[in-house]
Amino acid sequence: MNEVIVATQNAGKAKEFARLFEPLGITVKTLLDYPELPDVEETGETFAENALLKADSAARLTGKPAIADDSGLVIDALNGRPGVYSARYAGIEKNDRANNEKVLAELHDVPADERGARFACVLAVAFPDDREPLFANGYCEGTIAFEETGENGFGYDPLFIPEGYAVTMAQISPEEKNTISHRAKALHNLQALLPEWAGDGK
């Protein structure tokens, strides 16, 4: 497997996956390279269901293995919200600033020691043949800040303080983020299921 379709049109995610796959010698194509492919409606009730919907569609339509992630922010004080609705938490149109503002508003009276949260990621790999799909999970524990800080990353990164850090995910470098992110951990777990991705030829 020397090429994989990453089923996303999110430029931020595309860059992250490209950085993660580069050491494995795998060429990454994304839906940005296949503008003719239709959008997949994320109708699943879990991260795993949504990830598989996207990966399966891309694999069938391109004839190549496809990987998709569904990820989001899970906040304890909000009973797990925004969860699978993270991308459109503030409305149908994806708007990072509006999403962050909604989270801050809902947590306005929640004290620092009760703002626990985690980024969760489920990766699904679908194949164009009849092989069973593969799944891997990754989590990054942390807390929610009281205001947005930082210019790096995307989504909820300016609000999320990773465990062991005093700054938000948006204040650390992309390289460092890739060592602690939920997506990086999910990919690391997926590599154990796909030894050929590690370049050992098995």
Side-chain angles (χ1 to χ4, degrees):
M1 190 186 303
N2 56 12
E3 183 174 296
V4 64
I5 309 299
V6 178
T8 184
Q9 293 180 334
N10 183 305
K13 285 185 181 181
K15 289 179 181 178
E16 286 189 5
F17 275 109
R19 290 193 196 99
L20 292 169
F21 278 106
E22 186 178 12
L24 306 179
I26 296 172
T27 300
V28 170
K29 296 288 183 69
T30 73
L31 297 185
L32 297 172
D33 299 300
Y34 293 89
E36 71 280 5
L37 295 187
D39 285 336
V40 176
E41 189 174 356
E42 296 180 23
T43 56
E45 296 183 0
T46 66
F47 293 128
E49 289 175 1
N50 281 335
L52 183 57
L53 283 171
K54 293 182 283 189
D56 187 60
S57 174
R60 286 186 293 102
L61 293 172
T62 65
K64 297 179 180 180
I67 182 171
D69 86 308
D70 197 40
S71 55
L73 182 63
V74 178
I75 301 174
D76 296 334
L78 299 182
N79 297 314
R81 297 193 311 274
V84 295
Y85 305 106
S86 291
R88 296 179 174 86
Y89 193 45
I92 298 301
E93 294 298 324
K94 297 181 180 180
N95 186 310
D96 290 348
R97 175 56 61 82
N99 289 338
N100 286 336
E101 288 176 350
K102 182 175 181 179
V103 165
L104 288 175
E106 291 184 334
L107 294 176
H108 73 279
D109 59 351
V110 177
D113 61 352
E114 296 178 16
R115 298 171 76 92
R118 68 207 47 80
F119 275 125
C121 175
V122 177
L123 294 177
V125 181
F127 302 92
D129 52 29
D130 58 359
R131 280 179 286 176
E132 288 294 313
L134 301 173
F135 296 92
N137 303 324
Y139 302 93
C140 181
E141 298 288 337
T143 58
I144 302 300
F146 287 89
E147 61 183 7
E148 293 184 69
T149 311
E151 302 296 330
N152 296 331
F154 60 95
Y156 296 96
D157 287 353
L159 288 186
F160 186 81
I161 302 172
E163 193 171 64
Y165 285 74
V167 297
T168 69
M169 193 79 94
Q171 291 176 281
I172 63 178
S173 69
E175 293 74 21
E176 187 170 5
K177 177 183 176 180
N178 270 343
T179 68
I180 66 170
S181 78
H182 51 308
R183 198 166 292 112
K185 291 176 181 177
L187 179 60
H188 177 78
N189 292 334
L190 190 62
Q191 288 172 13
L193 303 176
L194 295 172
E196 64 267 32
W197 284 23
D200 60 10
K202 293 180 180 177

